[in-house]
Amino acid sequence: MEMGVDRVKVVVGNTGLGYYKEVGSYDKYIDLRYIPELFMIRRDDSGINIGVAVTISKAIEAVKECNQHGFHTEESMVYKKIVDHMEKVASGFIQNSASLGGNLVMAQRNHFPSDIATVLLVVGSLVNIMNGLKSEELTMEEFLRRPELDSKSILLSVKIPDWNRLMGISSGTRMNLLFETYRAAHNPYVGVLYEAVKLLGAIVVPEFAHTTISRCLGIPEHNVRVITRRVGGGFGGKCFRAMHVATACAVAAYKLQRPVRIYMNRKTDMIIAGGRHPMKITYSVGFKSDGKITALDILINAGISVDSYAKQTIAPGEVQATFTAEAVIEHVATTLSLDVDSVRSKNLHNFNSLVFFFEGSAGEPVEYTLPSIWNKLAISSSFKERTEKIKQFNTCNKWQKRGISRVPIVHEVALTPTPGKISILSDGSVAVEVGGIELGQGLWTKVKQMAAFALSSIQCDEMGDFLEKIRVIQADTLSLIQRGLTAGSTKSESTCEAIRLCCNMLVERLILINKKLQEQMGSVKWSTLILQSCGFCTLGMCMSLFSALVNAEKTPRPTPPPGFSKLEVYEAERAIAGNLCCCIGYRPIADVYGSALLLDSRRYSWYSPVSIEELQRSLSSVENGNGSRVKVVVGNTGMSYYKELESFDKYIDLRCVPELSMIRRDDIRMIIGATVRISKAIEALREGNIVWKKIADHMEKVASRFVRNSASLGGNLVMAQRNHFPSDIAIVLLAVGLLVNLMNGLKSEEITMEEFLRMPELDSKSILVSVKILDWDRIMSISSGTKMKLLFETYRATPRPLGNALPYSNATLMAKISRCASSDGMVVKFLTGKVLSVDVLYEVVKLLRSIVVLDDDTSYPAYRSSLAAGFLFEFFSHLVEGNAESPNGYMNGYSTLMSPARHLDHVDEPIAKSGAVIQASGEAVYVDDIPSPTKCLHGAFIFSTKPLARVKGIELKPKSVADGANAVISFKDILGENLGIKTGFGPEPLFADDFTRCTGQYIALVVADTQKHADMAADLAVVDYDMENLEPPILSVEEVVRKSSFFEVPSFFQPKQVGDFSKGMAEADHKILSAEIKRGSQYYFYMETQTALAVPDEDNCIVVYSSIQAPEYAQSTISRCLGIPEHNVRVITRRVGGGFGGKAMEAIPVATACALAAYNLRRPVRMYMNRKTDMKTTGGRHPMEVTYSVGFKEDGKMTALHLDILINAGIGVDISPIIPLFMVDAIKKYDWVAFSFDIKVCRTNHSSKSAMRGPGEVQGTFISESVIEHVASVLSMDADSGAAGELKEYTLPSIWDKLAASSSFKERTDMIKQFNMCNKWQKGGISRVPIVHEVLLQSNPGKVSILGDGSVAVEVGGIELGQGLWTKVKQMTAFSLSAIQCDGMGDFLEKIRIIQADTLSLVQGGLTAGSTTSECSCEAVRICCNILVERLTPIKEKFQEQMGSVEWGILILEETRWR
């Protein structure tokens, strides 16, 4: 240092860096904070000595203390005023860090404008300086005037003299001490010299930055995501200049492949960010003597070029214009020696002059309020009186007041379209996303108020603190597009309007449910309304409760008051204890039933006649009654379509009348009673001829299975006759010449179906008794010798192919082709006697379209009309010669039905899997690839090694603490519920409480500085177990049976048995009795083990990145575990590195544990579970023990099968109750003739078993194939030949044969047999195994956003697990959007990107499972695309008329400009 080689800097707080930026670096820093002599504060009679390292805040406290205790005269005001002045210097943060000496040295060395140096200079302070071994004391004036201190000179202390003492020992002359300090600053309280204002993403126009970054990097916009939470002040400066900052960061990060951020210093910011436009103004003005201006000419020289740095600020142009106008007004007033305010008043607009200047923007006369505001302002502010006072003051004083002024402002309000999105989460909390950016103007506050106001119109109970349930989330350019610019002082209002519209849509949907619930319950809470179930479980619960009600009425209990039942609350709860609701759970429903046992069974009259005669008497009593309203019912399912607005006085139930429930068949007809269930009618028709079977096929598509099991055939037809219900069944039966039998009183008559439908509406006294369906095969065979051919087909077009969806159109066509057939009807008459050809078919289609007239209020009229024509065309098209062509091109509109299937662009093309390239190159980002945030901790589970024990304590070994272990999180640290997994069947805890109930149960989470240290700490942790006085754990299913430790399977998940097992065994030629099968568990072996990253966020929020198949379930569980609303939890999943069901439920506790630790410690926490822990804790496939007995014939034909199955579910319920149903469905792929079983789901002290690839189906297939092979072995037959005849599913026999042919199965089997005969080493053989899988479709959300450059961002509820979901969704998006038929869409797949799942961006994502989520996601996206195409088509057609052809990019660009 003596040689001048090293550059040295002496520091204390180093706060000077905020003002003087270090351009170069130093070789050595010397920190003075640890030298006691420099930290001393001493007081004596002469004053106070303060060490140079004492912080400014400590110096202030020391001077204050001296003032309070050391002086009592008026001269003590010196210290008080020094303190007052020093407290105004810098901010509290700076005062706590900066040293007194450092401030003075900056003033001496760098001419820093120091307040403190100025104040201490005046009071005659002394400074003590050390240079080497020498020290000297100087006055403050000498110190400031000397040459700059070098790095070898140190300021040691400052002495502030005691002015009380100095005045006391002065001469006897009487003197008064005057002392005052002054400070003029922009901010009177805190002198801010430096403040960083620009952060990456601190931008008012995220959408513009999005586009700019995209173009700068040369990538599509869907590859860019700009996120802005809030902006720390904008004033227009973050509209466009912030785009440069964001783009520069993006370019650097993209090139370096590393995160890059900018935190711009104030100096740089002020140099490059521009500001308000400067300008030079030259004006000429003419005016009258009273101050009225008659003409004004202005020349503005803005002094800027196109590439100038002057940028938009608050009210761009308006401030300059106001300044110009007021300068002119003041100039005129000065010239005329008039008061400025009077000149302003003289030149205010009246409405006519306003229209002259502003034209169409002036509005209506009543809207021009400026004159009245001008006068009100003068009165409310006492403007005239205050002006007079100022004039009087200025007359009497040397120092003049400048005056008081009022200035009019006219601002044109421009409203811009702004997007908004409202998501109501499952706990009733609300997440709001808007286009406007929070700049401090209170936009989020207004949006919350508007959302609360709009949603409160639904009028639920407990909405008093509804504002607390609402959260406005950050702006994200891929989540909500077309945000625009937050400017013009109206963005808050535009945003509120968008939210109001969203809320109105939600209210419209929810208010119907609310009214229905109010009718049932009286009042409805908001949380109850949101938690309404899907209704799937309702039927089972109603049946269970009804049975309990009936049984209670049979008890000898006292008769309850009117309106009440004998059923007790606990009995109601017990009645539905076996039922389950996956949406709400058992407990809330049990509570509702318990509180609503006011079942009024005596309010209405209910009759159930048991014969036709008794029915006739009931009807005659109605006829002779007193005007009472009567309803005849069977299943009463019509209530779900036609709501009963009024009640009936009497109900007549026909279900017990045997004559109405019979099914009879003779040679030429089938008679079906009116009360026969539709499902029973289907079974009966399936046993008949081809026509009846096709009727059954069609009827099976009507409604759902549950409705068909309750609804009657007659009820459906009566609804069609009475209410014009769009009945498929009526249309089908009309075509086959159905006859109906009616009874009215004692009379009965038989009429055709056509007559029945045309007759006046049936009243309550008329009863449909039965229907007759003719056997057309029999009729055709016994008809005359004329050669006839019968054609019969049914058609149905609906929004969904199966289930509760009314058809757009349905049709049934039956034709007898002969030379002498005749019938009524225009179409039939036209076709009769004609030879079918293309021309004839075209004419009949044209005729049909002309006579099909739909009602005015019919939806999709053109589509329905075309369907009718299409059905007719398809019916006859196969009879027309395939090579026949219409000479006039008549059939062009229908040629696709006769030609090969058209090529579906993008959908049927083989394409590379989405993301395959980045996965193969290692660039794909999984959860563990996300860089660790600052101060991130790593977690590892401490899990139980005992199946059943008390947990007395957990101790970390000292080595673990030394190696970085930070904390241990257990159930005692949980803020909400101890919840780790929540399914519809029940909860499981996150951590064991005082007991651990299985090996592998999580006891605690240890967090450390690295994952390695966390794993080591968890392995070395010592858990103190106690097993005294505890029963032995249940470790086998045999012990389960002895102790009856079973999970209950809800009734609607219990599979049904088939046939009579005893009878089947009696018919068997051979029997196998009590054979046993044992099937072990199977572990998940995904490549990516369980992993999660949780990052605490502001305002009690948390963001969790999880590798999970059901982010929505994790969000709900984390919310309940932390005790915060769901809108405070954000779960993000980009992709999963293999799931197989193991990341459906088992990933939830991993994400929840990380979230809990991060929330408690306020630091990010992540976990990447090692393989050993993963396999020990995450369960696997359900093991089982099976005992079976089977009977079979000599040829291998089965006659009966009975199974006793014990399923080991482990300690938690998870999804185990569904396993029996899936298992039995898989076994039913073979026709066992009689099939019975007894399946128990066992609760043991093993880890909980969960869903795993084909849960239950794999075990069921294993059982059925084991039985088949056992039977084949006993009979010495080939297992394949035994199985071939047993296939049940309709298409399996043909698939079975095709597979044998395509795989050369027989030849390869013979080759293996020959090989095994000739070789020592045997081949295991070749096998084909049939599989039956029930496809279950679920509702999935989807969102498609078209960005400014034409690229497309898609978000779906399904998770990419490697199954290609993203690929299918991309194909569907490309296919659906290509319907717009623009040019330049050849490589459209490249324009589409699927973005990660985000539970606050797209809610209700559900569970990715069941092999159908890809298809459900595609359907959601298809619907979204159809809406977009519908909106874009008119714009495209408009531009096509002008330009001829329109490219996709131009269409989107023009649409954006047009918008």
Side-chain angles (χ1 to χ4, degrees):
M1 194 165 69
E2 292 287 339
M3 303 297 293
V5 176
D6 294 333
R7 298 186 72 245
V8 178
K9 184 176 183 181
V10 179
V11 297
V12 181
N14 203 24
T15 55
L17 197 65
Y19 190 75
Y20 297 107
K21 305 304 174 191
E22 290 184 358
V23 179
S25 60
Y26 289 88
D27 304 297
K28 183 181 287 187
Y29 291 84
I30 299 176
D31 188 352
L32 305 182
R33 288 178 297 173
Y34 302 100
I35 302 174
E37 294 87 342
L38 304 184
F39 259 105
M40 62 79 195
I41 300 176
R42 288 200 309 270
R43 304 173 189 86
D44 56 27
D45 291 342
S46 61
I48 178 170
N49 275 284
I50 302 175
V52 72
V54 173
T55 62
I56 294 174
S57 58
K58 287 290 184 185
I60 291 171
E61 290 176 9
V63 176
K64 269 185 182 178
E65 190 174 342
C66 285
N67 184 53
Q68 291 168 359
H69 302 102
F71 307 99
H72 303 286
T73 64
E74 61 182 11
E75 284 78 15
S76 66
M77 292 301 292
V78 172
Y79 277 162
K80 182 179 184 300
K81 290 184 177 181
I82 291 174
V83 167
D84 290 342
H85 194 105
M86 289 173 69
E87 280 184 332
K88 298 174 184 176
V89 174
S91 65
F93 307 106
I94 301 295
Q95 291 173 6
N96 289 335
S97 302
S99 65
L100 181 65
N103 185 284
L104 298 178
V105 169
M106 283 174 60
Q108 196 271 346
R109 183 182 290 165
N110 302 324
H111 305 292
F112 174 69
S114 166
D115 290 59
I116 297 174
T118 303
V119 172
L120 297 183
L121 173 67
V122 172
V123 297
S125 298
L126 302 173
V127 297
N128 190 3
I129 298 175
M130 180 184 73
N131 191 319
L133 299 177
K134 296 189 301 179
S135 67
E136 58 179 325
E137 190 173 74
L138 306 172
T139 66
M140 180 62 73
E141 186 173 1
E142 291 171 336
F143 171 68
L144 294 175
R145 289 183 181 277
R146 68 172 287 162
E148 293 181 12
L149 293 180
D150 57 22
S151 59
K152 294 176 285 184
S153 299
I154 301 296
L155 178 64
L156 297 178
S157 64
V158 180
K159 184 175 183 178
I160 305 174
D162 181 349
W163 278 93
N164 185 32
R165 172 124 177 116
L166 290 175
M167 293 294 290
I169 62 175
S170 62
S171 62
T173 308
R174 181 66 181 169
M175 292 187 295
N176 289 327
L177 183 67
L178 298 178
F179 179 78
E180 195 61 70
T181 69
Y182 300 93
R183 188 174 196 267
H186 298 291
N187 187 327
Y189 302 105
V190 180
V192 180
L193 297 173
Y194 167 77
E195 180 187 1
V197 296
K198 279 207 166 51
L199 299 171
L200 176 62
I203 184 168
V204 180
V205 210
E207 183 185 3
F208 295 0
H210 187 110
T211 302
T212 304
I213 293 169
S214 162
R215 296 179 65 179
C216 188
L217 300 185
I219 59 178
E221 286 188 25
H222 63 211
N223 283 21
V224 180
R225 186 171 221 140
V226 179
I227 296 174
T228 302
R229 178 168 293 171
R230 61 173 63 83
V231 174
F235 319 122
K238 291 178 182 171
C239 288
F240 301 106
R241 180 54 54 185
M243 291 171 9
H244 294 253
V245 181
T247 305
C249 279
V251 170
Y254 193 75
K255 182 176 181 179
L256 302 176
Q257 288 299 298
R258 293 177 62 182
V260 175
R261 73 187 308 163
I262 292 179
Y263 200 77
M264 190 179 291
N265 62 63
R266 173 66 70 183
K267 182 179 178 182
T268 306
D269 184 273
M270 294 182 72
I271 289 173
I272 70 169
R276 196 179 295 280
H277 291 77
M279 54 185 61
K280 179 180 178 182
I281 302 169
T282 304
Y283 62 88
S284 300
V285 59
F287 47 94
K288 295 191 175 183
S289 56
D290 61 354
K292 176 63 179 175
I293 295 173
T294 58
L296 176 66
D297 180 53
I298 296 178
L299 175 63
I300 300 176
N301 181 359
I304 60 172
S305 60
V306 174
D307 56 352
S308 168
Y309 287 128
K311 289 293 170 185
Q312 182 174 346
T313 57
I314 285 183
E318 296 179 3
V319 171
Q320 294 97 318
T322 298
F323 174 80
T324 303
E326 296 309 317
V328 172
I329 290 288
E330 290 186 11
H331 195 165
V332 170
T334 303
T335 302
L336 295 173
S337 300
L338 294 173
D339 181 61
V340 176
D341 191 72
S342 65
V343 176
R344 288 195 182 103
S345 301
K346 193 70 177 176
N347 288 285
L348 280 180
H349 279 295
N350 57 39
F351 184 71
N352 292 331
S353 64
L354 187 77
V355 172
F356 180 74
F357 275 83
F358 287 92
E359 299 178 344
S361 302
E364 298 297 325
V366 294
E367 297 173 341
Y368 182 53
T369 57
L370 187 56
S372 61
I373 293 173
W374 184 259
N375 296 327
K376 286 179 183 176
L377 178 63
I379 296 170
S380 63
S381 65
S382 305
F383 182 78
K384 186 177 179 183
E385 294 81 357
R386 292 165 71 181
T387 302
E388 292 300 324
K389 285 181 180 179
I390 291 170
K391 288 179 180 178
Q392 186 177 358
F393 178 91
N394 289 345
T395 304
C396 305
N397 289 277
K398 179 180 179 180
W399 304 104
Q400 302 285 290
K401 291 184 177 181
R402 297 191 62 183
I404 185 172
S405 178
R406 51 177 175 160
V407 177
I409 294 174
V410 177
H411 173 71
E412 184 174 354
V413 177
L415 297 178
T416 56
T418 304
K421 184 173 75 175
I422 295 271
S423 302
I424 302 178
L425 306 176
S426 61
D427 66 344
S429 59
V430 180
V432 183
E433 196 170 355
V434 292
I437 304 298
E438 175 60 55
L439 310 172
Q441 80 278 44
L443 182 145
W444 281 8
T445 306
K446 292 181 180 179
V447 166
K448 285 184 68 172
Q449 289 177 300
M450 176 55 74
F453 169 73
L455 288 176
S456 64
S457 63
I458 206 156
Q459 296 181 345
C460 286
D461 292 349
E462 295 187 358
M463 293 187 77
D465 59 344
F466 197 61
L467 276 172
E468 299 301 315
K469 295 182 179 291
I470 300 169
R471 181 170 203 85
V472 185
I473 61 176
Q474 63 195 20
D476 181 337
T477 56
L478 286 187
S479 178
L480 194 67
I481 64 171
Q482 299 178 351
R483 297 173 176 274
L485 171 65
T486 299
S489 304
T490 59
K491 197 67 173 184
S492 299
E493 286 64 34
S494 301
T495 301
C496 286
E497 175 61 12
I499 292 306
R500 187 187 66 81
L501 295 174
C502 292
C503 290
N504 287 351
M505 292 174 64
L506 291 171
V507 168
E508 187 178 339
R509 297 174 186 174
L510 290 171
I511 204 163
L512 297 175
I513 304 172
N514 187 40
K515 286 181 178 177
K516 181 178 179 182
L517 291 173
Q518 281 179 335
E519 291 172 3
Q520 301 170 2
M521 303 167 60
S523 63
V524 182
K525 297 178 182 177
W526 170 257
S527 55
T528 305
L529 174 66
I530 299 305
L531 276 175
Q532 283 312 294
S533 70
C534 62
F536 183 86
C537 59
T538 308
L539 180 63
M541 291 196 177
C542 290
M543 291 176 67
S544 299
L545 192 65
F546 178 74
S547 299
L549 282 167
V550 171
N551 293 333
E553 292 299 324
K554 296 176 182 177
T555 61
R557 295 173 185 165
T559 302
F564 287 81
S565 167
K566 292 182 180 180
L567 184 65
E568 302 288 345
V569 171
Y570 80 92
E571 291 178 323
E573 293 188 0
R574 190 172 60 187
I576 64 167
N579 297 82
L580 185 73
C581 177
C582 299
C583 304
I584 302 175
Y586 162 76
R587 185 73 257 161
I589 294 178
D591 291 342
V592 170
Y593 279 140
S595 63
L597 284 177
L598 306 176
L599 304 176
D600 192 350
S601 59
R602 299 167 180 80
R603 183 176 174 185
Y604 307 114
S605 300
W606 188 277
Y607 296 91
S608 296
V610 295
S611 65
I612 285 287
E613 292 76 16
E614 193 172 335
L615 173 60
Q616 289 171 335
R617 286 196 297 273
S618 297
L619 294 175
S620 62
S621 67
V622 172
E623 189 173 1
N624 300 325
N626 55 2
S628 58
R629 300 185 73 250
V630 177
K631 184 176 183 181
V632 178
V633 298
V634 181
N636 204 23
T637 56
M639 268 192 68
S640 62
Y641 189 76
Y642 296 106
K643 306 304 177 189
E644 289 185 358
L645 301 179
E646 300 177 8
S647 59
F648 290 88
D649 304 298
K650 179 184 284 190
Y651 290 85
I652 300 177
D653 186 354
L654 304 183
R655 287 177 297 174
C656 300
V657 180
E659 294 88 339
L660 303 184
S661 59
M662 57 79 192
I663 299 177
R664 289 200 313 271
R665 181 177 176 182
D666 57 27
D667 289 342
I668 60 170
R669 69 181 64 84
M670 178 185 291
I671 302 173
I672 302 177
T675 64
V676 172
R677 302 290 193 270
I678 294 175
S679 55
K680 288 291 184 185
I682 292 172
E683 291 176 9
L685 289 167
R686 286 213 180 279
E687 298 175 1
N689 56 61
I690 187 65
V691 173
W692 288 358
K693 286 178 179 177
K694 287 188 176 182
I695 294 173
D697 289 343
H698 192 105
M699 289 170 67
E700 205 161 40
K701 298 173 185 175
V702 173
S704 65
R705 182 175 57 188
F706 308 104
V707 174
R708 294 196 300 268
N709 286 339
S710 301
S712 66
L713 182 64
N716 184 284
L717 298 179
V718 169
M719 281 173 62
Q721 196 272 346
R722 184 182 289 164
N723 302 323
H724 305 292
F725 174 68
S727 167
D728 289 61
I729 296 175
I731 296 296
V732 172
L733 298 182
L734 176 65
V736 295
L738 185 79
L739 300 174
V740 297
N741 189 6
L742 297 176
M743 179 182 75
N744 190 319
L746 298 177
K747 297 188 299 179
S748 66
E749 60 176 329
E750 188 173 79
I751 59 176
T752 66
M753 184 67 178
E754 188 171 357
E755 293 170 337
F756 172 69
L757 294 176
R758 291 183 183 276
M759 70 182 294
E761 293 181 12
L762 292 181
D763 55 23
S764 58
K765 295 174 287 185
S766 299
I767 300 295
L768 175 63
V769 176
S770 62
V771 298
K772 292 181 182 179
I773 306 175
L774 300 178
D775 184 342
W776 282 97
D777 279 359
R778 179 71 174 164
I779 292 172
M780 295 288 286
S781 65
I782 62 176
S783 60
S784 61
T786 307
K787 184 65 175 176
M788 290 192 295
K789 182 179 180 182
L790 183 70
L791 299 179
F792 180 80
E793 200 58 69
T794 70
Y795 301 93
R796 188 173 196 261
T798 62
R800 297 183 299 278
L802 299 172
N804 291 311
L806 292 174
Y808 292 122
S809 179
N810 52 56
T812 303
L813 298 171
M814 185 169 72
K816 293 181 289 184
I817 303 176
S818 70
R819 296 180 180 177
C820 57
S822 62
S823 182
D824 295 328
M826 294 176 64
V827 173
V828 177
K829 288 179 178 178
F830 177 83
L831 286 174
T832 301
K834 287 190 172 62
V835 176
L836 279 176
S837 66
V838 173
D839 287 338
V840 169
L841 197 49
Y842 169 73
E843 291 296 333
V844 74
V845 166
K846 195 164 65 170
L847 176 61
L848 179 63
R849 297 196 71 157
S850 67
I851 63 175
V852 172
V853 179
L854 300 173
D855 295 337
D856 294 337
D857 58 348
T858 303
S859 60
Y860 309 107
Y863 175 60
R864 293 174 189 263
S865 177
S866 66
L867 279 174
F871 291 154
L872 183 68
F873 179 83
E874 186 175 350
F875 182 70
F876 286 114
S877 61
H878 69 282
L879 298 175
V880 181
E881 291 294 331
N883 57 359
E885 296 184 2
S886 171
N888 300 319
Y890 289 150
M891 300 307 297
N892 291 343
Y894 300 93
S895 60
T896 54
L897 290 175
M898 302 179 67
S899 62
R902 73 182 181 92
H903 181 64
L904 303 178
D905 291 335
H906 308 298
V907 174
D908 59 350
E909 293 175 348
I911 65 168
K913 178 176 176 286
S914 179
V917 175
I918 59 173
Q919 285 176 313
S921 64
E923 297 172 83
V925 177
Y926 293 85
V927 172
D928 195 53
D929 296 318
I930 299 172
S932 293
T934 306
K935 297 183 179 179
C936 185
L937 296 171
H938 299 256
F941 280 118
I942 299 171
F943 57 86
S944 172
T945 57
K946 305 291 183 184
L948 182 62
R950 292 186 191 87
V951 179
K952 298 178 67 176
I954 307 168
E955 183 180 348
L956 292 182
K957 290 190 176 180
K959 186 179 186 309
S960 303
V961 178
D963 282 342
N966 190 286
V968 175
I969 306 294
S970 68
F971 78 97
K972 297 176 183 178
D973 300 295
I974 293 174
L975 306 172
E977 304 175 38
N978 186 7
L979 184 66
I981 297 176
K982 175 67 171 72
T983 67
F985 302 105
E988 293 184 40
L990 176 60
F991 294 125
D993 44 28
D994 295 326
F995 287 87
T996 173
R997 293 170 175 80
C998 74
T999 302
Q1001 184 176 11
Y1002 302 133
I1003 297 177
L1005 181 79
V1006 59
V1007 291
D1009 56 349
T1010 67
Q1011 189 66 58
K1012 181 179 179 181
H1013 288 161
D1015 289 339
M1016 289 173 59
D1019 289 340
L1020 295 173
V1022 177
V1023 181
D1024 185 7
Y1025 297 106
D1026 177 16
M1027 291 179 283
E1028 276 190 46
N1029 302 321
L1030 292 179
E1031 292 187 4
I1034 301 174
L1035 301 177
S1036 67
V1037 292
E1038 290 79 11
E1039 294 175 69
V1040 169
V1041 175
R1042 287 197 296 272
K1043 296 184 179 182
S1044 295
S1045 175
F1046 301 112
F1047 287 114
E1048 188 165 0
V1049 178
S1051 57
F1052 51 85
F1053 276 124
Q1054 290 177 356
K1056 294 183 179 180
Q1057 310 204 19
V1058 180
D1060 186 338
F1061 174 73
S1062 300
K1063 181 180 178 183
M1065 291 297 277
E1067 294 174 354
D1069 298 332
H1070 302 277
K1071 299 174 184 176
I1072 298 174
L1073 302 177
S1074 301
E1076 293 184 356
I1077 302 172
K1078 290 188 178 182
R1079 171 78 180 175
S1081 185
Q1082 182 182 3
Y1083 294 110
Y1084 305 106
F1085 207 81
Y1086 24 61
M1087 295 302 291
E1088 175 200 42
T1089 56
Q1090 301 285 358
T1091 181
L1093 165 63
V1095 183
D1097 205 353
E1098 63 174 24
D1099 197 18
N1100 247 12
C1101 293
I1102 193 154
V1103 179
V1104 181
Y1105 300 87
S1106 176
S1107 179
I1108 188 171
Q1109 293 173 235
E1112 181 189 3
Y1113 296 1
Q1115 180 192 29
S1116 176
T1117 303
I1118 292 168
S1119 162
R1120 293 175 61 179
C1121 185
L1122 301 188
I1124 58 178
E1126 286 185 24
H1127 64 209
N1128 282 23
V1129 180
R1130 184 172 223 135
V1131 180
I1132 296 173
T1133 302
R1134 179 169 295 178
R1135 59 175 62 85
V1136 173
F1140 319 124
K1143 291 181 182 168
M1145 302 302 162
E1146 299 298 324
I1148 299 176
V1150 178
T1152 305
C1154 284
L1156 177 64
Y1159 193 79
N1160 283 355
L1161 301 174
R1162 303 311 297 169
R1163 291 176 65 178
V1165 176
R1166 75 186 313 159
M1167 182 194 307
Y1168 193 88
M1169 195 179 285
N1170 62 60
R1171 180 69 67 184
K1172 179 181 176 183
T1173 304
D1174 190 292
M1175 294 182 71
K1176 284 186 176 181
T1177 60
T1178 52
R1181 196 181 294 282
H1182 292 73
M1184 61 185 181
E1185 292 188 11
V1186 183
T1187 302
Y1188 65 88
S1189 299
V1190 61
F1192 48 96
K1193 298 278 191 179
E1194 186 67 35
D1195 60 355
K1197 173 63 180 173
M1198 309 296 172
T1199 59
L1201 173 66
H1202 177 78
L1203 300 173
D1204 292 306
I1205 304 176
L1206 298 174
I1207 300 171
N1208 187 345
I1211 192 64
V1213 65
D1214 205 278
I1215 53 89
S1216 299
I1218 68 170
I1219 299 297
L1221 179 63
F1222 290 170
M1223 187 182 292
V1224 168
D1225 282 349
I1227 296 171
K1228 285 181 178 178
K1229 65 182 178 179
Y1230 291 119
D1231 179 11
W1232 306 99
V1233 181
F1235 179 32
S1236 64
F1237 44 81
D1238 182 15
I1239 305 177
K1240 305 289 187 186
V1241 180
C1242 304
R1243 179 172 184 163
T1244 64
N1245 292 104
H1246 290 286
S1247 58
S1248 300
K1249 307 307 174 188
S1250 189
M1252 187 175 192
R1253 206 71 178 265
E1257 297 176 355
V1258 171
Q1259 294 97 318
T1261 296
F1262 176 79
I1263 293 169
S1264 57
E1265 297 307 321
S1266 297
V1267 173
I1268 288 289
E1269 292 190 7
H1270 195 167
V1271 169
S1273 175
V1274 169
L1275 295 175
S1276 299
M1277 293 176 63
D1278 182 60
D1280 188 73
S1281 64
E1286 308 302 327
L1287 298 172
K1288 180 186 176 187
E1289 185 69 22
Y1290 178 71
T1291 57
L1292 268 180
S1294 60
I1295 294 174
W1296 187 258
D1297 295 336
K1298 287 178 182 177
L1299 178 64
S1302 62
S1303 64
S1304 304
F1305 183 79
K1306 189 172 184 302
E1307 295 79 356
R1308 292 164 73 183
T1309 303
D1310 293 338
M1311 288 171 62
I1312 291 169
K1313 288 178 180 177
Q1314 187 174 356
F1315 178 90
N1316 289 344
M1317 289 173 59
C1318 306
N1319 290 275
K1320 178 181 179 181
W1321 304 107
Q1322 303 286 288
K1323 291 185 176 182
I1326 185 172
S1327 179
R1328 50 177 175 160
V1329 177
I1331 293 175
V1332 175
H1333 172 72
E1334 184 176 358
V1335 176
L1336 300 173
L1337 300 178
Q1338 57 182 336
S1339 298
N1340 270 71
K1343 184 171 71 176
V1344 178
S1345 304
I1346 303 175
L1347 306 177
D1349 65 344
S1351 60
V1352 181
V1354 183
E1355 199 170 351
V1356 291
I1359 304 298
E1360 176 59 55
L1361 310 172
Q1363 80 279 43
L1365 182 146
W1366 282 8
T1367 309
K1368 292 182 180 179
V1369 169
K1370 281 184 70 171
Q1371 287 179 294
M1372 177 53 74
T1373 306
F1375 170 72
S1376 300
L1377 288 179
S1378 64
I1380 199 81
Q1381 296 180 347
C1382 285
D1383 294 344
M1385 297 185 73
D1387 58 345
F1388 198 59
L1389 279 170
E1390 299 302 316
K1391 294 183 181 291
I1392 300 167
R1393 183 172 199 83
I1394 317 298
I1395 60 178
Q1396 63 195 17
D1398 181 336
T1399 56
L1400 287 188
S1401 178
L1402 195 68
V1403 301
Q1404 300 177 346
L1407 172 64
T1408 299
S1411 303
T1412 59
T1413 309
S1414 298
E1415 286 64 36
C1416 295
S1417 297
C1418 286
E1419 174 62 9
V1421 166
R1422 186 188 67 82
I1423 294 171
C1424 292
C1425 291
N1426 288 349
I1427 295 171
L1428 291 171
V1429 168
E1430 187 177 340
R1431 295 176 184 172
L1432 287 171
T1433 297
I1435 303 171
K1436 182 239 180 182
E1437 291 174 349
K1438 177 181 176 182
F1439 284 109
Q1440 203 166 25
E1441 291 174 3
Q1442 301 171 2
M1443 304 165 59
S1445 63
V1446 182
E1447 291 192 359
W1448 170 259
I1450 294 175
L1451 173 64
I1452 301 305
L1453 180 64
E1454 292 297 332
E1455 190 278 338
T1456 306
R1457 289 177 180 171
W1458 177 78
R1459 173 174 56 82

